[in-house]
Amino acid sequence: MLGEHDNMQPATEGAPRWMGLAVVGLAVLSLVGVGMAWNATSHAHDADQALAAQSAQSKTFQQNQDQLTQRLAQAEQTNAQMQGELNLVGRKLKLTEGQVAVARNQVKQERADYTKKLTDVETTLATKASTDDVNAIGTDVNGVKTDLDATKGSLQQLRRRARRIDRPQS
């Protein structure tokens, strides 16, 4: 009996070694899967935000486009009205070349008359200014003469008093 027991190998207790490696591998694989899921969720969230922003931009763009379309329609309507008014004014203001020539000649004649009148007024003003200047100078000369006479009289009085003071009193 002894021989039989010697041939037999003792049985190891516990799980085989490959099971431990399999558990570690599965744990690593699970962590990688969780990381990829978190990454995918993050990308999905970012994509949702980008889509929302793009949707808002699209809405704003559409509003701007609608406003521009309205402005263009108003501008076209205003342009059509102005074109009609311009045509009406053009028909009313059609002048012949003869009428234009007559109007130009009248303007030239009026300019010549105005220039002549202006020259006459300037000459009159120049003459009047010189007469007024002479009268003003005459008045100024008379005032200076009066002041000079008064000063002369005052000097004579001072000389008389000075002579009286200088004389010895007897």
Side-chain angles (χ1 to χ4, degrees), residues 20-45:
L21 291 177
V23 168
V24 170
L26 286 175
V28 169
L29 188 60
S30 295
L31 287 176
V32 169
V34 168
M36 290 178 61
W38 179 77
N39 190 21
T41 303
S42 175
H43 283 301
H45 180 68

Side-chain angles (χ1 to χ4, degrees), residues 3-4 29-30 33 43 52 54 57 71-72 74-76 89 97 116-117 119 126-127 130 140-141 148 151 155 161 165:
E4 282 181 57
L29 188 60
S30 295
H43 283 301
Q54 187 177 10
Q57 287 177 349
R71 284 184 180 174
L72 180 61
Q74 288 173 349
E76 287 175 350
V89 169
E97 288 182 26
K116 184 179 181 298
K117 287 180 185 178
T119 304
T127 303
S130 343
D140 288 344
V141 168
L148 187 60
T151 304
L155 281 175
R161 284 184 191 166
I165 294 174

Side-chain angles (χ1 to χ4, degrees), residues 26-138:
L26 286 175
V28 169
L29 188 60
S30 295
L31 287 176
V32 169
V34 168
M36 290 178 61
W38 179 77
N39 190 21
T41 303
S42 175
H43 283 301
H45 180 68
D46 291 345
D48 283 343
Q49 287 180 344
L51 182 62
Q54 187 177 10
S55 176
Q57 287 177 349
S58 175
K59 191 174 190 179
T60 303
F61 178 76
Q62 185 63 37
Q63 288 173 348
N64 288 342
Q65 186 178 8
D66 291 344
Q67 288 175 352
L68 288 175
T69 302
Q70 288 174 353
R71 284 184 180 174
L72 180 61
Q74 288 173 349
E76 287 175 350
Q77 183 180 10
T78 303
N79 187 25
Q81 288 174 351
M82 292 180 85
Q83 188 66 34
E85 291 174 7
L86 181 64
N87 289 337
L88 177 65
V89 169
R91 284 183 295 226
K92 287 184 177 182
L93 290 179
K94 285 191 177 178
L95 296 175
T96 63
E97 288 182 26
Q99 290 170 321
V100 171
V102 168
R104 284 184 182 157
N105 287 336
Q106 287 176 344
V107 168
K108 285 181 185 177
Q109 184 60 40
E110 288 177 9
R111 281 186 185 161
D113 292 344
Y114 176 77
T115 303
K116 184 179 181 298
K117 287 180 185 178
L118 182 63
T119 304
D120 292 344
V121 168
E122 287 174 345
T123 303
T124 303
L125 284 176
T127 303
K128 182 164 177 56
S130 343
T131 304
D132 289 344
D133 289 342
V134 169
N135 289 337
I137 290 173

